[in-house]
Amino acid sequence: MNCAWVINGWRLQERSASAVTKALETARERGMRSYNISRIGRHYWLVCSRDAVQAYDLASTVRKSYPKVQQGIYLAYWREQVVVIVWRNDVLQHCLACETDADGFAHLKLLLGRLTRKSRRHSALLIAGSVPAEMRDYCDEHLAQWQQRTTAVEIAELTVDKRAKLRDMALPTPWQQRQRLFALVFSVLLVMALAGWYWWPQSEQAEQVTAQVQQALPDPRGVTPQVLQQLPKLFAGMQHLAGWEWRSASLQGQQLEVVLKATYGRPEELALQLYPAWQLLPQRQQAAARYQWPTEPYARQQGGFTINALEVGSWQRQLERLFPNLTVRQERSRESTFYQQQVFTLNLLDTKFTELARLTHLLSHPHLRIVKMNLQAGRSLRSELEVHLYEPRPISTEGAS
């Protein structure tokens, strides 16, 4: 196939999608204009180019053309240059093109000479017929212990996979496209669920009940669930602190306290890395950072208090349906001087801050409060929320004059 190929590009290999995403950010900073990601075994092969022309990655195309060759050295002639591609299993080790002058041949001979170790003797040497005779003679003389294939496919005859085509650096990666599609589908399902919940015939228990309150009610314990929407910004960069790592976070009253442990950092360096809203309380080998949420008034009016009843069973089913990893457990109800409280424990053992922020869509009832919140750092975020549903207790007016 007569097309443009990327050979001497900016290349990188990673095992995780997040590492590839960071590498693409570096490539953009260095002025790269196009990229391609190919999944080879357990690795992502990334190649970036400063050219915006439509081209294909030669390395991944050659590797996929010889899927049974675990260790291979591919040599071919392309546009007055000799191309060499070396791989071992799913790891790309060399991909370059050299001129056919004396310096170019010397560079190729030096590279091939380094590959004549014992560990390379079972490699397959794939030589296309277009390779110059001088290089073919060198391979016959010095690389006789390798399996040679003189009928290797020429570059112009390679079967090109559309997935090897470079794309604009501004376009999202395949997993970013899947995330956006998931977010769109989730938003549509959420809107449909909320619309169905809003228009569903309400039971008699869900009708508004007005209770006369003869005094102002104190603020209930806890914070409004809307604070979960602030977590992605509050914890931005917390995973990448230089010399420090955060272990856990817990809600204490109106304060969110994070425990951090020093690996090699110093307290004065930590203060420069945290979000300004955190209050740092450094210690010797660890530190604590606090964030204070403001008090949200619950019922300050002297006249009446309107209760919007929550149909608990339907609410729990919606939580578990829209968040499959979420476990909801109802605890024993509690009472205080002014309120009756229904208590729920929400567990997400594998989550993200963005998922906790989306959880607020189903915690929007005005009488819900988060009383306890425990977050555990690790490979994935673990969270436990204790949510209380407050209802004012009837106030006796006996003896009032």
Side-chain angles (χ1 to χ4, degrees), residues 2 35 42 69 71 90 93 100 132 136 189 229 244 257-258 308 328 330 335 352 362 382-383:
N2 190 12
Y35 76 98
R42 294 178 295 177
V69 177
Q71 301 181 48
D90 56 356
Q93 296 178 317
T100 55
R136 295 173 62 85
L189 292 176
Q229 296 180 348
W244 292 82
E257 183 170 310
V258 177
N308 297 318
V328 181
Q330 186 169 1
E335 290 188 1
K352 300 178 181 178
L362 293 182
R382 299 164 62 97
S383 67

PDB file of all heavy atoms in Angstrom, residues 2 35 42 69 71 90 93 100 132 136 189 229 244 257-258 308 328 330 335 352 362 382-383:
ATOM      1  N   ASN A   2       0.664   2.146  -0.914  1.00  0.00           N
ATOM      2  CA  ASN A   2       1.467   3.350  -1.050  1.00  0.00           C
ATOM      3  C   ASN A   2       0.879   4.436  -0.162  1.00  0.00           C
ATOM      4  O   ASN A   2      -0.088   5.094  -0.514  1.00  0.00           O
ATOM      5  CB  ASN A   2       1.502   3.805  -2.511  1.00  0.00           C
ATOM      6  CG  ASN A   2       2.522   4.908  -2.717  1.00  0.00           C
ATOM      7  OD1 ASN A   2       3.344   5.171  -1.840  1.00  0.00           O
ATOM      8  ND2 ASN A   2       2.457   5.558  -3.853  1.00  0.00           N
ATOM      9  N   TYR A  35      -0.871  11.689  16.735  1.00  0.00           N
ATOM     10  CA  TYR A  35      -0.464  10.553  17.548  1.00  0.00           C
ATOM     11  C   TYR A  35      -1.246   9.313  17.154  1.00  0.00           C
ATOM     12  O   TYR A  35      -2.281   9.388  16.490  1.00  0.00           O
ATOM     13  CB  TYR A  35      -0.679  10.838  19.031  1.00  0.00           C
ATOM     14  CG  TYR A  35      -2.117  10.749  19.473  1.00  0.00           C
ATOM     15  CD1 TYR A  35      -2.625   9.602  20.090  1.00  0.00           C
ATOM     16  CD2 TYR A  35      -2.995  11.808  19.263  1.00  0.00           C
ATOM     17  CE1 TYR A  35      -3.951   9.522  20.486  1.00  0.00           C
ATOM     18  CE2 TYR A  35      -4.312  11.746  19.653  1.00  0.00           C
ATOM     19  CZ  TYR A  35      -4.795  10.594  20.262  1.00  0.00           C
ATOM     20  OH  TYR A  35      -6.116  10.518  20.639  1.00  0.00           O
ATOM     21  N   ARG A  42       0.174  -6.652  26.353  1.00  0.00           N
ATOM     22  CA  ARG A  42      -0.178  -5.900  27.566  1.00  0.00           C
ATOM     23  C   ARG A  42       0.326  -4.465  27.531  1.00  0.00           C
ATOM     24  O   ARG A  42       0.221  -3.754  28.529  1.00  0.00           O
ATOM     25  CB  ARG A  42       0.400  -6.619  28.797  1.00  0.00           C
ATOM     26  CG  ARG A  42      -0.222  -7.979  29.060  1.00  0.00           C
ATOM     27  CD  ARG A  42       0.422  -8.644  30.261  1.00  0.00           C
ATOM     28  NE  ARG A  42       1.834  -8.950  30.009  1.00  0.00           N
ATOM     29  CZ  ARG A  42       2.656  -9.476  30.917  1.00  0.00           C
ATOM     30  NH1 ARG A  42       2.207  -9.732  32.134  1.00  0.00           N
ATOM     31  NH2 ARG A  42       3.916  -9.727  30.619  1.00  0.00           N
ATOM     32  N   VAL A  69       5.776 -14.227  15.498  1.00  0.00           N
ATOM     33  CA  VAL A  69       7.198 -13.993  15.722  1.00  0.00           C
ATOM     34  C   VAL A  69       7.353 -13.271  17.055  1.00  0.00           C
ATOM     35  O   VAL A  69       6.999 -12.098  17.184  1.00  0.00           O
ATOM     36  CB  VAL A  69       7.813 -13.151  14.583  1.00  0.00           C
ATOM     37  CG1 VAL A  69       9.288 -12.870  14.885  1.00  0.00           C
ATOM     38  CG2 VAL A  69       7.676 -13.881  13.259  1.00  0.00           C
ATOM     39  N   GLN A  71      10.317 -12.797  18.780  1.00  0.00           N
ATOM     40  CA  GLN A  71      11.490 -11.936  18.735  1.00  0.00           C
ATOM     41  C   GLN A  71      11.839 -11.722  17.271  1.00  0.00           C
ATOM     42  O   GLN A  71      12.183 -12.677  16.574  1.00  0.00           O
ATOM     43  CB  GLN A  71      12.674 -12.563  19.472  1.00  0.00           C
ATOM     44  CG  GLN A  71      12.390 -12.856  20.943  1.00  0.00           C
ATOM     45  CD  GLN A  71      13.585 -13.457  21.639  1.00  0.00           C
ATOM     46  OE1 GLN A  71      14.695 -12.954  21.519  1.00  0.00           O
ATOM     47  NE2 GLN A  71      13.359 -14.549  22.358  1.00  0.00           N
ATOM     48  N   ASP A  90       5.811  -8.194  23.360  1.00  0.00           N
ATOM     49  CA  ASP A  90       4.992  -7.002  23.151  1.00  0.00           C
ATOM     50  C   ASP A  90       5.751  -5.718  23.457  1.00  0.00           C
ATOM     51  O   ASP A  90       5.143  -4.676  23.694  1.00  0.00           O
ATOM     52  CB  ASP A  90       3.723  -7.064  24.004  1.00  0.00           C
ATOM     53  CG  ASP A  90       4.031  -7.237  25.483  1.00  0.00           C
ATOM     54  OD1 ASP A  90       5.219  -7.376  25.819  1.00  0.00           O
ATOM     55  OD2 ASP A  90       3.082  -7.214  26.291  1.00  0.00           O
ATOM     56  N   GLN A  93      11.676  -2.367  20.709  1.00  0.00           N
ATOM     57  CA  GLN A  93      13.003  -1.981  21.169  1.00  0.00           C
ATOM     58  C   GLN A  93      13.704  -1.005  20.234  1.00  0.00           C
ATOM     59  O   GLN A  93      14.485  -0.179  20.687  1.00  0.00           O
ATOM     60  CB  GLN A  93      13.852  -3.238  21.372  1.00  0.00           C
ATOM     61  CG  GLN A  93      13.268  -4.135  22.479  1.00  0.00           C
ATOM     62  CD  GLN A  93      14.045  -5.416  22.674  1.00  0.00           C
ATOM     63  OE1 GLN A  93      14.427  -6.038  21.690  1.00  0.00           O
ATOM     64  NE2 GLN A  93      14.273  -5.802  23.910  1.00  0.00           N
ATOM     65  N   THR A 100      21.477   5.346   3.257  1.00  0.00           N
ATOM     66  CA  THR A 100      22.236   4.223   2.684  1.00  0.00           C
ATOM     67  C   THR A 100      23.696   4.580   2.422  1.00  0.00           C
ATOM     68  O   THR A 100      24.394   3.857   1.718  1.00  0.00           O
ATOM     69  CB  THR A 100      21.575   3.782   1.373  1.00  0.00           C
ATOM     70  OG1 THR A 100      21.465   4.912   0.490  1.00  0.00           O
ATOM     71  CG2 THR A 100      20.193   3.210   1.637  1.00  0.00           C
ATOM     72  N   PRO A 132      19.511  -3.335   0.443  1.00  0.00           N
ATOM     73  CA  PRO A 132      20.735  -3.293  -0.375  1.00  0.00           C
ATOM     74  C   PRO A 132      21.613  -4.526  -0.147  1.00  0.00           C
ATOM     75  O   PRO A 132      21.645  -5.104   0.938  1.00  0.00           O
ATOM     76  CB  PRO A 132      21.424  -2.010   0.104  1.00  0.00           C
ATOM     77  CG  PRO A 132      20.305  -1.153   0.620  1.00  0.00           C
ATOM     78  CD  PRO A 132      19.308  -2.093   1.197  1.00  0.00           C
ATOM     79  N   ARG A 136      22.561  -7.134   3.086  1.00  0.00           N
ATOM     80  CA  ARG A 136      22.195  -8.553   3.036  1.00  0.00           C
ATOM     81  C   ARG A 136      23.446  -9.419   3.237  1.00  0.00           C
ATOM     82  O   ARG A 136      23.390 -10.434   3.955  1.00  0.00           O
ATOM     83  CB  ARG A 136      21.528  -8.871   1.710  1.00  0.00           C
ATOM     84  CG  ARG A 136      20.184  -8.165   1.520  1.00  0.00           C
ATOM     85  CD  ARG A 136      19.662  -8.404   0.103  1.00  0.00           C
ATOM     86  NE  ARG A 136      19.436  -9.837  -0.116  1.00  0.00           N
ATOM     87  CZ  ARG A 136      18.311 -10.458   0.238  1.00  0.00           C
ATOM     88  NH1 ARG A 136      17.335  -9.794   0.829  1.00  0.00           N
ATOM     89  NH2 ARG A 136      18.159 -11.758   0.008  1.00  0.00           N
ATOM     90  N   LEU A 189     -29.933   8.406  31.032  1.00  0.00           N
ATOM     91  CA  LEU A 189     -30.661   7.510  31.934  1.00  0.00           C
ATOM     92  C   LEU A 189     -31.064   8.227  33.219  1.00  0.00           C
ATOM     93  O   LEU A 189     -32.158   7.997  33.751  1.00  0.00           O
ATOM     94  CB  LEU A 189     -29.788   6.297  32.266  1.00  0.00           C
ATOM     95  CG  LEU A 189     -29.506   5.334  31.105  1.00  0.00           C
ATOM     96  CD1 LEU A 189     -28.556   4.232  31.552  1.00  0.00           C
ATOM     97  CD2 LEU A 189     -30.803   4.725  30.570  1.00  0.00           C
ATOM     98  N   GLN A 229     -19.745  17.432  45.557  1.00  0.00           N
ATOM     99  CA  GLN A 229     -19.361  18.022  44.272  1.00  0.00           C
ATOM    100  C   GLN A 229     -18.068  18.827  44.379  1.00  0.00           C
ATOM    101  O   GLN A 229     -17.444  19.124  43.369  1.00  0.00           O
ATOM    102  CB  GLN A 229     -20.495  18.902  43.751  1.00  0.00           C
ATOM    103  CG  GLN A 229     -21.765  18.130  43.445  1.00  0.00           C
ATOM    104  CD  GLN A 229     -22.875  19.020  42.923  1.00  0.00           C
ATOM    105  OE1 GLN A 229     -22.793  20.244  42.983  1.00  0.00           O
ATOM    106  NE2 GLN A 229     -23.927  18.410  42.400  1.00  0.00           N
ATOM    107  N   TRP A 244       5.075  13.280  49.683  1.00  0.00           N
ATOM    108  CA  TRP A 244       3.985  13.007  50.623  1.00  0.00           C
ATOM    109  C   TRP A 244       2.933  12.165  49.924  1.00  0.00           C
ATOM    110  O   TRP A 244       2.800  12.202  48.710  1.00  0.00           O
ATOM    111  CB  TRP A 244       3.347  14.313  51.111  1.00  0.00           C
ATOM    112  CG  TRP A 244       4.235  15.132  51.984  1.00  0.00           C
ATOM    113  CD1 TRP A 244       5.206  15.990  51.578  1.00  0.00           C
ATOM    114  CD2 TRP A 244       4.260  15.153  53.409  1.00  0.00           C
ATOM    115  NE1 TRP A 244       5.833  16.564  52.640  1.00  0.00           N
ATOM    116  CE2 TRP A 244       5.255  16.067  53.799  1.00  0.00           C
ATOM    117  CE3 TRP A 244       3.534  14.500  54.389  1.00  0.00           C
ATOM    118  CZ2 TRP A 244       5.557  16.338  55.122  1.00  0.00           C
ATOM    119  CZ3 TRP A 244       3.818  14.776  55.722  1.00  0.00           C
ATOM    120  CH2 TRP A 244       4.821  15.683  56.083  1.00  0.00           C
ATOM    121  N   GLU A 257     -11.031  16.177  57.466  1.00  0.00           N
ATOM    122  CA  GLU A 257      -9.632  16.085  57.876  1.00  0.00           C
ATOM    123  C   GLU A 257      -8.938  14.976  57.099  1.00  0.00           C
ATOM    124  O   GLU A 257      -9.409  13.846  57.052  1.00  0.00           O
ATOM    125  CB  GLU A 257      -9.531  15.825  59.370  1.00  0.00           C
ATOM    126  CG  GLU A 257      -8.088  15.795  59.866  1.00  0.00           C
ATOM    127  CD  GLU A 257      -7.993  15.782  61.378  1.00  0.00           C
ATOM    128  OE1 GLU A 257      -8.647  16.637  62.023  1.00  0.00           O
ATOM    129  OE2 GLU A 257      -7.287  14.904  61.914  1.00  0.00           O
ATOM    130  N   VAL A 258      -7.800  15.314  56.488  1.00  0.00           N
ATOM    131  CA  VAL A 258      -7.020  14.381  55.678  1.00  0.00           C
ATOM    132  C   VAL A 258      -5.720  14.073  56.407  1.00  0.00           C
ATOM    133  O   VAL A 258      -5.047  14.975  56.901  1.00  0.00           O
ATOM    134  CB  VAL A 258      -6.722  14.965  54.286  1.00  0.00           C
ATOM    135  CG1 VAL A 258      -5.850  14.017  53.481  1.00  0.00           C
ATOM    136  CG2 VAL A 258      -8.014  15.239  53.536  1.00  0.00           C
ATOM    137  N   ASN A 308     -41.135  17.582  52.813  1.00  0.00           N
ATOM    138  CA  ASN A 308     -41.252  16.859  51.556  1.00  0.00           C
ATOM    139  C   ASN A 308     -40.860  15.410  51.835  1.00  0.00           C
ATOM    140  O   ASN A 308     -39.692  15.104  52.002  1.00  0.00           O
ATOM    141  CB  ASN A 308     -40.338  17.452  50.481  1.00  0.00           C
ATOM    142  CG  ASN A 308     -40.722  18.878  50.149  1.00  0.00           C
ATOM    143  OD1 ASN A 308     -41.904  19.186  50.030  1.00  0.00           O
ATOM    144  ND2 ASN A 308     -39.739  19.751  50.018  1.00  0.00           N
ATOM    145  N   VAL A 328     -26.117  -0.101  49.810  1.00  0.00           N
ATOM    146  CA  VAL A 328     -26.911   0.750  50.700  1.00  0.00           C
ATOM    147  C   VAL A 328     -27.468  -0.121  51.825  1.00  0.00           C
ATOM    148  O   VAL A 328     -28.109  -1.145  51.572  1.00  0.00           O
ATOM    149  CB  VAL A 328     -28.062   1.447  49.932  1.00  0.00           C
ATOM    150  CG1 VAL A 328     -28.848   2.347  50.878  1.00  0.00           C
ATOM    151  CG2 VAL A 328     -27.516   2.243  48.756  1.00  0.00           C
ATOM    152  N   GLN A 330     -29.672   0.155  55.513  1.00  0.00           N
ATOM    153  CA  GLN A 330     -30.445   1.001  56.419  1.00  0.00           C
ATOM    154  C   GLN A 330     -30.199   0.564  57.854  1.00  0.00           C
ATOM    155  O   GLN A 330     -30.311  -0.612  58.200  1.00  0.00           O
ATOM    156  CB  GLN A 330     -31.942   0.928  56.087  1.00  0.00           C
ATOM    157  CG  GLN A 330     -32.778   1.892  56.914  1.00  0.00           C
ATOM    158  CD  GLN A 330     -34.205   2.009  56.399  1.00  0.00           C
ATOM    159  OE1 GLN A 330     -34.566   1.346  55.427  1.00  0.00           O
ATOM    160  NE2 GLN A 330     -35.001   2.840  57.033  1.00  0.00           N
ATOM    161  N   GLU A 335     -33.478   9.161  67.425  1.00  0.00           N
ATOM    162  CA  GLU A 335     -34.297  10.306  67.805  1.00  0.00           C
ATOM    163  C   GLU A 335     -33.448  11.266  68.630  1.00  0.00           C
ATOM    164  O   GLU A 335     -32.556  10.864  69.373  1.00  0.00           O
ATOM    165  CB  GLU A 335     -35.521   9.866  68.622  1.00  0.00           C
ATOM    166  CG  GLU A 335     -36.559   9.117  67.819  1.00  0.00           C
ATOM    167  CD  GLU A 335     -37.830   8.884  68.610  1.00  0.00           C
ATOM    168  OE1 GLU A 335     -37.872   9.332  69.780  1.00  0.00           O
ATOM    169  OE2 GLU A 335     -38.766   8.273  68.076  1.00  0.00           O
ATOM    170  N   LYS A 352     -14.344   6.830  42.465  1.00  0.00           N
ATOM    171  CA  LYS A 352     -13.527   8.004  42.173  1.00  0.00           C
ATOM    172  C   LYS A 352     -14.246   9.226  42.750  1.00  0.00           C
ATOM    173  O   LYS A 352     -15.437   9.184  43.037  1.00  0.00           O
ATOM    174  CB  LYS A 352     -13.312   8.178  40.665  1.00  0.00           C
ATOM    175  CG  LYS A 352     -12.616   7.019  39.985  1.00  0.00           C
ATOM    176  CD  LYS A 352     -12.508   7.274  38.486  1.00  0.00           C
ATOM    177  CE  LYS A 352     -11.823   6.101  37.778  1.00  0.00           C
ATOM    178  NZ  LYS A 352     -11.761   6.310  36.313  1.00  0.00           N
ATOM    179  N   LEU A 362     -28.777  11.983  43.337  1.00  0.00           N
ATOM    180  CA  LEU A 362     -29.784  11.197  44.038  1.00  0.00           C
ATOM    181  C   LEU A 362     -29.770  11.457  45.548  1.00  0.00           C
ATOM    182  O   LEU A 362     -30.470  10.774  46.298  1.00  0.00           O
ATOM    183  CB  LEU A 362     -29.572   9.697  43.776  1.00  0.00           C
ATOM    184  CG  LEU A 362     -29.822   9.255  42.327  1.00  0.00           C
ATOM    185  CD1 LEU A 362     -29.625   7.759  42.183  1.00  0.00           C
ATOM    186  CD2 LEU A 362     -31.223   9.634  41.874  1.00  0.00           C
ATOM    187  N   ARG A 382     -11.814   4.184  48.228  1.00  0.00           N
ATOM    188  CA  ARG A 382     -12.850   3.498  48.997  1.00  0.00           C
ATOM    189  C   ARG A 382     -13.565   4.542  49.845  1.00  0.00           C
ATOM    190  O   ARG A 382     -12.918   5.366  50.485  1.00  0.00           O
ATOM    191  CB  ARG A 382     -12.244   2.417  49.891  1.00  0.00           C
ATOM    192  CG  ARG A 382     -11.520   1.317  49.138  1.00  0.00           C
ATOM    193  CD  ARG A 382     -10.641   0.516  50.067  1.00  0.00           C
ATOM    194  NE  ARG A 382     -11.415  -0.149  51.111  1.00  0.00           N
ATOM    195  CZ  ARG A 382     -11.812  -1.410  51.049  1.00  0.00           C
ATOM    196  NH1 ARG A 382     -11.487  -2.151  49.993  1.00  0.00           N
ATOM    197  NH2 ARG A 382     -12.511  -1.958  52.023  1.00  0.00           N
ATOM    198  N   SER A 383     -14.882   4.494  49.855  1.00  0.00           N
ATOM    199  CA  SER A 383     -15.633   5.503  50.590  1.00  0.00           C
ATOM    200  C   SER A 383     -16.770   4.850  51.364  1.00  0.00           C
ATOM    201  O   SER A 383     -17.343   3.837  50.943  1.00  0.00           O
ATOM    202  CB  SER A 383     -16.201   6.559  49.639  1.00  0.00           C
ATOM    203  OG  SER A 383     -17.189   5.993  48.802  1.00  0.00           O
TER     204      SER A 383
END
